[in-house]
Amino acid sequence: MSSEEDASLLVIVLDTNCVWWGERTEGVHHGSPHHQKNGNLNDANHASDSSQILLTELVDGVITFGNAHLLTNHKNTLAIIACQANRSQYIYPPRQSVATHNAATGATADTLQLLKNSVKGELSHLLSEVDDRELFAESITAGALCMALCYIHKKEQHLMTGEKLNSKILVIKGTDDHSEQYMNFMNAVFTAQKKNVIIDACIFNHDSGLLQQACDITNGIYLKIPHTKGLLQYLLWTYLPDQATRAKMSLPPRTHVDYRAACFCHRQLIDRGFVCSVCLSIFCDFQAICSTCRTPYKILGGPVLRKKKKTA
């Protein structure tokens, strides 16, 4: 089977954190517990001044990008995962389709309409279920990556003999990294590398050191877009082409990747540290017992001088 006939699966991890998008930013920063909860997707347009793109504009751009991916090849498939501060959920295909593996393939009129209705309906339902007590400034990107890899694995199990599936994950993210996700995040990245899954990253706000490592390890594209209003143009020109086409394009240059690890004790990036020989946990200070696997360490001292036996 030629590469042109191979099916392509794109899984989009969409960061829809309510705090970052400004839906409850003012109430959270001022510590007011009396902010009103509203799950309507249109109400999420009240973004802060630092955000140049509205959530509805982001959703419309992602839907158009998903349509373009499905129109590229009649065998292409698509999945979209919304990532929040406390959970991640499929917003396309619908949840019943994910459970029964009946996701539509290709770009028919019914499929494109289902994509639009499912993304907006499921996302509005997800926003309405957000608990005000669980609002954080970071999203669980590591969990969404694990869900994407599980979905890819399920799709690969249903391939016919001789078929090949080219899979890639696109992370569209605005929130900052959280060092507590480092271990789970890197486990997901190395799993993607082993399965030849490309991880791309489209960043809105500050640079993400974790996603820089993920893109570099899996040979993906990392780009912090300078103008968020032009999101759709960046998606179509940078992330839509497949791996073979990318080799012939002039893509954004690779950025400097910060490969420092986060210690397991304080969750801070360190240059040097102590590594557990059993579970490979990293600590910035020496510990007599590993806090992860509870392994005690033997402290090696100087050579022991033994007395010589007296000879008769």
Side-chain angles (χ1 to χ4, degrees), residues 94-258:
R95 281 170 285 184
Q96 60 272 17
S97 299
V98 175
T100 57
H101 311 289
N102 291 328
T105 303
T108 63
D110 294 338
T111 303
L112 299 182
Q113 186 63 33
L114 176 63
L115 171 61
K116 179 180 179 180
N117 295 339
S118 176
V119 169
K120 293 190 175 182
E122 293 288 343
L123 185 55
S124 296
H125 181 70
L126 177 62
L127 294 177
S128 66
E129 294 182 342
V130 173
D131 191 348
D132 295 342
R133 297 170 298 180
E134 298 180 350
L135 288 177
F136 306 100
E138 302 86 12
S139 300
I140 49 174
T141 313
L145 280 179
C146 293
M147 290 180 61
L149 291 172
C150 290
Y151 185 84
I152 292 173
H153 179 72
K154 289 180 181 179
K155 296 293 290 185
E156 291 176 345
Q157 298 301 311
H158 292 78
L159 292 176
M160 302 297 292
T161 303
E163 288 185 341
K164 182 182 177 182
L165 184 64
N166 299 320
S167 304
K168 60 182 178 181
I169 302 173
L170 171 61
V171 181
I172 303 178
K173 186 171 181 288
T175 57
D176 296 333
D177 290 336
H178 200 286
S179 56
E180 291 184 356
Q181 301 184 36
Y182 175 78
M183 186 174 182
N184 295 332
F185 188 93
M186 295 309 298
N187 286 337
V189 170
F190 289 123
T191 302
Q193 182 190 35
K194 186 176 182 180
K195 295 179 65 65
N196 295 322
V197 176
I198 299 173
I199 297 179
D200 297 328
C202 180
I203 306 300
F204 288 156
N205 197 13
H206 302 290
D207 282 315
S208 171
L210 294 180
L211 284 174
Q212 285 180 352
Q213 297 183 30
C215 296
D216 188 65
I217 292 173
T218 61
N219 199 25
I221 298 176
Y222 176 90
L223 177 62
K224 178 184 175 184
I225 57 177
H227 304 288
T228 56
K229 287 292 185 179
L231 171 66
L232 181 58
Q233 285 78 4
Y234 289 106
L235 293 178
L236 293 176
W237 286 98
T238 306
Y239 300 103
L240 184 61
D242 55 14
Q243 192 68 7
T245 307
R246 290 180 180 183
K248 304 176 182 178
M249 297 177 60
S250 178
L251 297 174
R254 291 186 176 272
T255 59
H256 174 71
V257 182
D258 187 1

Side-chain angles (χ1 to χ4, degrees), residues 35 76 80 182 237 244 259 276 290 312:
H35 46 274
N76 286 357
I80 304 177
Y182 175 78
W237 286 98
Y259 271 104
C276 175
C290 177

Side-chain angles (χ1 to χ4, degrees), residues 274-283 285-300:
F274 298 86
V275 181
C276 175
S277 59
V278 177
C279 65
L280 302 181
S281 298
I282 304 172
F283 305 98
D285 297 322
F286 175 77
Q287 298 184 8
I289 300 177
C290 177
S291 59
T292 304
C293 63
R294 312 306 299 177
T295 300
Y297 303 132
K298 294 181 179 180
I299 302 176
L300 300 178

